[in-house]
Amino acid sequence: MVARGLMENTQLYIFGDHGMGWDVGRGPAQMKQLGFRTHYEHIDVPLIVSPTQRVPCDIGMHDGMSISATMLDELNISPHPSFKGKSLYKPGKPVAIVESVGRGNCDVLRRDLYFTVTSTTHRLMILLTENKLIPERLYDRTADPKEYVNLVNNEENATLITTMLHWLV
């Protein structure tokens, strides 16, 4: 292929979908709440762009839309103004938000919904049941990168939790 010039002007994008593994250090009991399977091993996905001379920006949060935003950026294609993705070569968002129904259909009238708000320093997992947002799990991603210690009930985190909840409303 190389000798025939087939790779000339070719760029490869390699990325993954969410994971299905479970970090056994966290304990198996938490696996039962499928909607909260939004730990690092489930939602942090790689992206490899080759060849490129550009360096990813490590400011802010990048999410699933960053993959397509990066591809558009590499190809010098302007996205539609409504597109909210941020290229990995540009500063990201203050937080990344992931939503889940756990299993089955999304029916806000009959089912609970799950949200995970991730900043560069913390990950907050929230249950929406009826009309209430209930913080269930909080992890310090700096001190506890494997997300083993749930800090949601520590009073000193009340302001942080309130701030992170505001990203959903």
Side-chain angles (χ1 to χ4, degrees):
M1 282 183 19
V2 174
R4 293 177 27 207
L6 295 179
M7 294 299 288
E8 205 169 296
N9 296 320
T10 298
Q11 190 166 40
L12 300 176
Y13 298 88
I14 302 169
F15 52 92
D17 194 2
H18 60 85
M20 283 303 297
W22 186 259
D23 189 321
V24 294
R26 194 174 302 110
Q30 292 180 354
M31 285 181 66
K32 293 178 181 160
Q33 280 186 298
L34 294 178
F36 287 139
R37 285 194 185 178
T38 53
H39 289 278
Y40 75 92
E41 68 267 25
H42 302 121
I43 61 175
D44 294 356
V45 297
L47 171 63
I48 300 169
V49 179
S50 179
T52 188
Q53 303 300 315
R54 300 171 75 185
V55 177
C57 179
D58 61 359
I59 298 170
M61 297 299 301
H62 292 90
D63 57 19
M65 290 186 289
S66 295
I67 292 173
S68 51
T70 303
M71 293 170 77
L72 291 171
D73 193 7
E74 276 286 334
L75 297 168
N76 202 25
I77 298 172
S78 296
H80 188 274
S82 66
F83 183 62
K84 303 294 184 203
K86 299 282 187 177
S87 169
L88 291 172
Y89 304 123
K90 297 175 181 159
K93 303 171 186 175
V95 297
I97 299 174
V98 173
E99 72 284 339
S100 175
V101 296
R103 177 173 282 147
N105 64 334
C106 181
D107 184 348
V108 71
L109 298 177
R110 294 176 188 86
R111 298 183 57 139
D112 294 338
L113 297 179
Y114 302 84
F115 295 93
T116 298
V117 179
T118 305
S119 71
T120 56
T121 59
H122 291 84
R123 188 179 318 269
L124 178 64
M125 298 178 182
I126 305 152
L127 174 65
L128 173 62
T129 184
E130 297 175 5
N131 293 331
K132 295 178 279 187
L133 287 172
I134 303 168
E136 293 280 338
R137 301 179 190 171
L138 175 69
Y139 299 99
D140 182 328
R141 298 179 66 220
T142 304
D144 180 24
K146 298 282 188 174
E147 303 167 0
Y148 293 159
V149 181
N150 184 356
L151 303 171
V152 78
N153 292 321
N154 293 12
E155 281 297 316
E156 67 243 21
N157 294 317
T159 301
L160 171 64
I161 290 170
T162 299
T163 300
M164 293 184 83
L165 281 170
H166 280 292
W167 285 102
L168 288 178
V169 292

